[in-house]
Amino acid sequence: MSGIYNPIVFYPIAIVLILSAILAVSFRNIFHSLLSAIILFFIVGVLFYVLGSEYNAIIQIAIYGLAVPVI
């Protein structure tokens, strides 16, 4: 059984995730928006890892965090 048993771990991750998602769509500068999106993708990968889904975390970070911004 896996999951987040400690809300002290979950809430900071969730706050950074929501904040970076809002910043990614609200910045007018494309570079700042891309940096916020990269942070968002890495935080989603961390959240997958904390939830116990290591494979999804690696795919999220490798494809969306590293490959998509290069394109």
Side-chain angles (χ1 to χ4, degrees), residues 8-56:
I8 296 173
V9 174
F10 177 74
Y11 288 127
I13 292 173
I15 290 170
V16 171
L17 184 120
I18 292 170
L19 181 65
S20 62
I22 291 171
L23 290 176
V25 297
S26 65
F27 278 135
R28 290 189 182 268
N29 188 349
I30 190 71
F31 182 72
H32 292 129
S33 180
L34 182 63
L35 285 178
S36 297
I38 291 170
I39 292 170
L40 172 69
F41 294 145
F42 275 102
I43 294 298
V44 169
V46 169
L47 187 63
F48 276 137
Y49 184 77
V50 169
L51 287 172
S53 180
E54 291 87 9
Y55 180 75
N56 285 341

